[in-house]
Amino acid sequence: MADHKTLIYVYTGITASLLFKSIPFVSNIYILIATVWIIGILTVAMLTMVYYTVMSMERNNRTVSFSLGFNNFMQKIIEVVSPALFVYIALNMNYEDSWYILGISGLIMVFLYPELYKSLDVYF
């Protein structure tokens, strides 16, 4: 069974993903602002958990900065690709599907991430 830190990460990711997928269905501007604000808070919380995991995995203090830099590099790749993918899907399918597909992608990543580290015997 997963420990409480992994569950917190997964629940935070699921909540952010579900809120992300709900964006096209929100018609009130105030609810939309609150939704985006909450997604931002949850995203920062998840990034903090990822940084903690990267730092706790490092056995050598000399390589912590490299590992954090690599983690940031991977996040930047996702940040660059996501908007382009969103626009591509929106133009070729529709706007609502674009939100939905990116929300599902985020949900998949939430479940994939802990599995990557289980093979290294590292838990959140």
Side-chain angles (χ1 to χ4, degrees):
M1 182 169 168
D3 67 355
H4 73 283
K5 292 178 185 176
T6 302
L7 292 175
I8 290 171
Y9 175 81
V10 170
Y11 291 149
T12 303
I14 289 171
T15 304
S17 178
L18 292 174
L19 286 171
F20 191 82
K21 291 188 314 185
S22 73
I23 287 175
F25 306 107
V26 176
S27 58
N28 184 312
I29 188 69
Y30 298 110
I31 294 174
L32 180 63
I33 290 170
T35 301
V36 172
W37 182 72
I38 293 168
I39 290 170
I41 289 172
L42 295 174
T43 301
V44 169
M46 290 179 64
L47 291 174
T48 302
M49 290 180 230
V50 170
Y51 289 141
Y52 172 78
T53 301
V54 168
M55 290 178 63
S56 66
M57 285 176 49
E58 277 304 323
R59 308 284 186 240
N60 185 348
N61 286 339
R62 295 175 59 193
T63 58
V64 169
S65 60
F66 172 77
S67 296
L68 289 173
F70 183 74
N71 183 57
N72 285 335
F73 172 72
M74 296 305 293
Q75 289 173 359
K76 297 299 178 197
I77 289 174
I78 293 169
E79 290 172 12
V80 168
V81 171
S82 295
L85 183 62
F86 179 86
V87 170
Y88 179 80
I89 294 168
L91 291 174
N92 291 302
M93 295 172 75
N94 63 47
Y95 179 73
E96 288 83 12
D97 287 344
S98 195
W99 284 109
Y100 188 73
I101 289 170
L102 288 182
I104 291 290
S105 300
L107 189 59
I108 290 169
M109 293 302 286
V110 166
F111 288 106
L112 177 63
Y113 184 76
E115 291 300 319
L116 292 174
Y117 290 100
K118 281 184 183 175
S119 63
L120 299 173
D121 291 329
V122 176
Y123 299 97
F124 289 91

